Amino acid sequence: MKDIEITESIKYVGADDKTLDLFESQYIIPNGISYNSYIIHDKKIVIMDTIDKRKTDEWMENIEKELNGKSPEYLVISHLEPDHAANIKLLSDKYPQMKLVGNKLTFNMLPQFFDIDLTDKKVVVSEGDVIDIGEHKLQFFMAPMVHWPEVMVTYEQTEKVLFTADGFGKFGALDADEDWTCEARRYYFNICR
Ligand SMILES: [Fe+2]
């Protein structure tokens, strides 16, 4: 695992993939790709997204190490595309008390991907809603068609961190030594618009 600290209480738990030839079966990624996921430590612990199934084991190891025996209170689902979301059911089954946070469209689309009983699990947020997890306050903003219709971004107000789903993304693993703007531009034109 890359030991990446976003802030003292926000940790990266995603994974790089350097074994994939074509992202979405069509875009070359000579320097790989990263599947991003984060944990926010607070009175209530939050996991942001659940990455691609190609890296489930590494991601789950990262999660368990960060949780250190604790249980997450919420999973925030920014985007349902499988590279962000393949492990929603796995995580939900592992932590059955964990709530799933998404918007109306997230939960309209979710049954197409997973058979999860959402009774007592579903937290539906709308534009500007805030979830208070202790020191941190998560505010949600809809970003429809920043790739798919259900996409939303999360702004953590206390530390001023924006979790952007596909927005501002780029191709390339996290340690890729390459021109940032060129790969960010290629990602923007192919994925985000
Ligand atoms: Fe996407």
Side-chain angles (χ1 to χ4, degrees), residues 18-66:
K18 295 180 179 177
T19 63
L20 186 64
D21 290 331
L22 295 174
F23 184 68
E24 296 187 352
S25 305
Q26 54 184 324
Y27 305 108
I28 58 163
I29 44 169
N31 293 323
I33 194 90
S34 68
Y35 307 124
N36 300 332
S37 170
Y38 307 86
I39 284 192
I40 306 173
H41 291 286
D42 207 317
K43 278 191 200 116
K44 295 176 178 174
I45 299 172
V46 177
I47 297 175
M48 308 293 295
D49 291 326
T50 65
I51 89 165
D52 196 280
K53 68 177 188 300
R54 295 169 61 88
K55 292 288 172 179
T56 296
D57 292 349
E58 186 179 334
W59 171 78
M60 189 53 86
E61 252 177 56
N62 297 345
I63 294 273
E64 284 173 356
K65 187 177 159 212
E66 273 299 325

Side-chain angles (χ1 to χ4, degrees), residues 161-176:
V161 176
L162 181 65
F163 297 88
T164 61
D166 275 334
F168 310 109
K170 70 180 274 293
F171 295 112
L174 292 186
D175 62 357

Side-chain angles (χ1 to χ4, degrees), residues 23-24 79 81 83-84 146-148 151 166 187 191:
F23 184 68
E24 296 187 352
H79 181 17
E81 192 177 20
D83 61 323
H84 297 247
V146 181
H147 208 191
W148 280 13
V151 173
D166 275 334
Y187 189 89
I191 306 294

Side-chain angles (χ1 to χ4, degrees), residues 24 40 47 71 74 76 85 90 92-93 150-151 154:
E24 296 187 352
I40 306 173
I47 297 175
S71 293
Y74 297 110
V76 173
L90 182 80
S92 184
D93 288 347
E150 85 299 359
V151 173
T154 304

